[in-house]
Amino acid sequence: MAEHPEPGHQYQKSGIVLMHSFDHGSIHIDSKDPTASPDIDLNILTNETDINILVKAYRILQAIHSQEPLKSIIDCKALPGKSSDTDEALIEYIKKSVFMAFHPLGTTSMLPFEDGGCVDNQLKVYGTEHLCVVDASTIPLNLSAHLQVMLYTFAEKAAHIINSISSG
């Protein structure tokens, strides 16, 4: 099979997305320069549970592809190829090919401070007096959906919270 799709052929691609990772990354400001980039550590695939979930999900995907009607229309498997013969080989393939699904959130989670939270239930950053955060970064868990509608609802609630704080 060619590395890139060839005209006149049909292709099907399947993917696995881990929506609720047990890994926890970090983001830190390491400079007083406001234009400097933050230090971001995604910490991807450092939790064994995440790796095991991805291996099991891939095995389910293999089982789906081995059933009709897909079985009779799939001529060959491009990736991961032989890299999926053993769990160990599949894990190596997963580690080399993993990517992010670009719905970042949770970097300033609304959780109790002792649980790693940065923002209280009034949206105020712990240790500050007049700093609130109103964006997806306060959502502590990944959603199995697009963020837009949830953020509209969140912003509406945040407006009520901030109005009650400023008028109270």
Side-chain angles (χ1 to χ4, degrees):
M1 173 159 198
E3 186 174 322
H4 299 287
E6 298 175 12
H9 296 274
Q10 294 181 350
Y11 296 88
Q12 183 269 336
K13 180 178 181 178
S14 299
I16 299 165
V17 178
L18 180 62
M19 294 298 296
H20 301 284
S21 174
F22 287 91
D23 290 327
H24 293 284
S26 64
I27 183 167
H28 297 281
I29 298 173
D30 287 338
S31 171
K32 291 183 181 184
D33 177 1
T35 63
S37 296
D39 179 24
I40 301 172
D41 178 6
L42 298 177
N43 209 28
I44 297 173
L45 297 181
T46 57
N47 187 298
E48 193 173 328
T49 300
D50 286 345
I51 295 169
N52 291 335
I53 289 170
L54 289 169
V55 168
K56 288 182 190 310
Y58 183 78
R59 297 295 182 216
I60 291 169
L61 187 60
Q62 281 182 311
I64 291 169
H65 287 168
S66 70
Q67 303 296 314
E68 293 298 344
L70 291 177
K71 181 179 178 179
S72 62
I73 60 173
I74 295 175
D75 290 334
C76 66
K77 177 176 69 171
L79 296 171
K82 294 257 183 228
S83 298
S84 66
D85 289 350
T86 67
D87 285 353
E88 293 76 18
L90 182 56
I91 289 168
E92 287 309 308
Y93 172 78
I94 289 169
K95 286 181 177 181
K96 290 177 186 173
S97 62
V98 70
F99 63 92
M100 298 296 293
F102 304 115
H103 283 179
L105 48 78
T107 55
T108 56
S109 292
M110 184 188 303
L111 289 169
F113 183 77
E114 59 273 9
D115 291 337
C118 296
V119 177
D120 67 18
N121 63 0
Q122 296 297 301
L123 307 173
K124 194 168 74 172
V125 176
Y126 291 116
T128 69
E129 291 185 31
H130 303 289
L131 178 61
C132 291
V133 177
V134 182
D135 63 24
S137 68
T138 60
I139 302 168
L141 298 172
N142 204 347
L143 309 173
S144 296
H146 197 280
L147 298 176
Q148 184 177 3
V149 172
M150 202 324 243
L151 288 176
Y152 286 154
T153 306
F154 181 72
E156 193 68 33
K157 177 68 175 171
H160 292 289
I161 290 171
I162 292 169
N163 281 335
S164 71
I165 291 171
S166 62
S167 65

